[in-house]
Amino acid sequence: MEQWSNEIWLAIVAAFIVGIIIGYVVLKATNANAQKQQKLENELKTTTAKLDAQKEQLEQHFQQSANLLATLAEDYKKLYTHLAKGSQNLLSDEATQKIEFFKQSQLTEKSTNDDEQPKDYSEGSSGILKSKVD
């Protein structure tokens, strides 16, 4: 140790201090990245939880809607059956035939002439091209 001069000791102390400073800077840089990554992971978990909750609410909404529509259809069938039976029991056949609600659904089809194409224009000129007759 006697062979080392003050300059060597000074260089060792300076290198030690520089090493501490560099270590501190590296630690802060990696710690900042780790904190940022942790923050992003927490944000992702929160967003995923919200999305899952919305999906669950959406599934419940459509399930309830489907149940309500099924109930509505069943109630409509019951109402129609009740009215049809009541009309048969309470009204005469002649009166039942006069009420359109109880008739079999008879859709009248319009006769279409396949030879004639539909007109998607008006007869004669119209709009700004219409000729003025004075």
Side-chain angles (χ1 to χ4, degrees):
M1 293 216 181
E2 297 172 10
Q3 299 171 351
W4 290 359
S5 67
N6 287 338
E7 293 174 355
I8 293 177
W9 281 107
L10 186 62
I12 291 172
V13 170
F16 183 72
I17 292 174
V18 169
I20 290 175
I21 292 172
I22 291 174
Y24 179 77
V25 170
V26 168
L27 181 65
K28 280 294 186 181
T30 57
N31 192 20
N33 286 339
Q35 288 177 351
K36 189 176 184 180
Q37 181 181 0
Q38 185 65 32
K39 181 182 175 186
L40 289 174
E41 285 177 6
N42 290 340
E43 195 175 307
L44 177 64
K45 288 178 184 177
T46 304
T47 305
T48 304
K50 285 181 183 178
L51 181 63
D52 290 342
Q54 281 183 337
K55 284 180 182 179
E56 183 66 30
Q57 287 177 346
L58 189 64
E59 287 175 11
Q60 289 175 356
H61 170 76
F62 282 116
Q63 181 63 40
Q64 184 179 11
S65 297
N67 291 340
L68 290 172
L69 284 173
T71 303
L72 180 66
E74 186 64 33
D75 289 345
Y76 176 76
K77 287 178 187 177
K78 288 178 184 177
L79 176 64
Y80 184 80
T81 304
H82 170 74
L83 290 174
K85 286 181 181 178
S87 70
Q88 288 176 352
N89 294 337
L90 300 174
L91 298 175
S92 65
D93 288 336
E94 192 175 295
T96 304
Q97 293 299 325
K98 289 181 182 178
I99 301 174
E100 281 191 44
F101 181 76
F102 299 113
K103 290 182 182 178
Q104 293 289 332
S105 59
Q106 298 173 355
L107 298 176
T108 57
E109 293 185 25
K110 293 181 180 178
S111 61
T112 56
N113 191 354
D114 292 335
D115 296 337
E116 189 176 324
Q117 292 185 356
K119 295 180 181 178
D120 47 345
Y121 58 88
S122 62
E123 294 292 328
S125 56
S126 64
I128 61 172
L129 300 176
K130 186 175 182 180
S131 60
K132 292 183 179 181
V133 178
D134 291 320

